[in-house]
């Protein structure tokens, strides 16, 4: 059984994607940037704040799908400046220090908008409520 989760962001229909997709006991959370419900950037020029906000934003859809952060088995982190990895790592650790999902962090040339410094996606496996 497949269930799509949407935030209602205009880009979901323009590009053709969902915030997350659950199939059985697995949830895939789409690449997420630090934009709030009003479409405004959170954490301008601050990789740490962008990462914290992104994980909190992802946690909402993970919870809506019936999972918790404890069910996250992988995160994929895309950054525009890998030399600032410690800022991203510090925020990631605040949420995942005891969960320790498999994680990849790679530098990319750019994200969809130059103010986005970090984008994260997650794979979740568990037994949803």
């Amino acid at each position: 059984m497949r269930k799509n989760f949407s935030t209602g962001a205009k880009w979901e229909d323009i590009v053709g994607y969902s915030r997350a997709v659950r199939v059985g006991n697995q949830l895939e959370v789409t690449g997420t940037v630090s934009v709030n419900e009003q479409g405004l950037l959170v954490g301008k020029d601050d990789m740490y704040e962008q990462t914290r906000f992104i994980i909190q934003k992802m946690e909402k859809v993970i919870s809506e799908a019936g999972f918790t952060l404890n069910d996250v088995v992988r995160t994929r982190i895309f950054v525009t400046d890998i030399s600032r990895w410690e800022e991203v790592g510090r925020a990631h650790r605040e949420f995942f220090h005891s969960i320790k999902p498999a994680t990849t962090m790679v530098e990319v040339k750019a994200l969809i908008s130059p103010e986005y410094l970090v984008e994260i996606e997650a794979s979740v496996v568990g037994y949803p409520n």
Side-chain angles (χ1 to χ4, degrees):
M1 183 172 138
R2 175 191 176 114
K3 181 172 182 182
N4 293 353
F5 295 84
S6 172
T7 62
K10 67 179 181 178
W11 300 109
E12 291 174 2
D13 284 335
I14 291 170
V15 176
Y17 73 93
S18 296
R19 164 68 35 218
V21 177
R22 185 177 96 196
V23 178
N25 71 332
Q26 298 181 9
L27 179 75
E28 292 291 333
V29 181
T30 196
T32 304
V33 295
S34 187
V35 175
N36 66 19
E37 294 81 17
Q38 292 76 38
L40 302 174
L41 176 71
V42 174
K44 181 176 171 50
D45 298 321
D46 189 331
M47 283 187 144
Y48 170 80
E49 274 306 315
Q50 286 194 20
T51 302
R52 278 186 48 75
F53 184 83
I54 290 166
I55 296 170
Q56 290 170 335
K57 183 175 175 180
M58 291 171 47
E59 186 175 22
K60 288 178 187 173
V61 74
I62 289 169
S63 176
E64 181 184 345
F67 299 91
T68 71
L69 286 182
N70 288 321
D71 299 313
V72 174
V73 296
R74 170 172 282 287
T75 57
R76 293 167 200 84
I77 307 168
F78 306 93
V79 297
T80 57
D81 183 354
I82 199 75
S83 72
R84 296 174 63 186
W85 71 268
E86 290 178 275
E87 297 171 57
V88 177
R90 181 167 52 103
H92 188 275
R93 182 185 185 286
E94 288 178 12
F95 293 90
F96 294 111
H97 66 279
S98 63
I99 302 165
K100 292 188 174 19
T103 298
T104 301
M105 184 186 305
V106 295
E107 181 178 79
V108 294
K109 179 179 176 182
L111 295 170
I112 200 160
S113 183
E115 69 245 9
Y116 305 152
L117 307 176
V118 181
E119 183 168 336
I120 303 174
E121 58 184 42
S123 297
V124 182
V125 178
Y127 298 96
N129 301 331

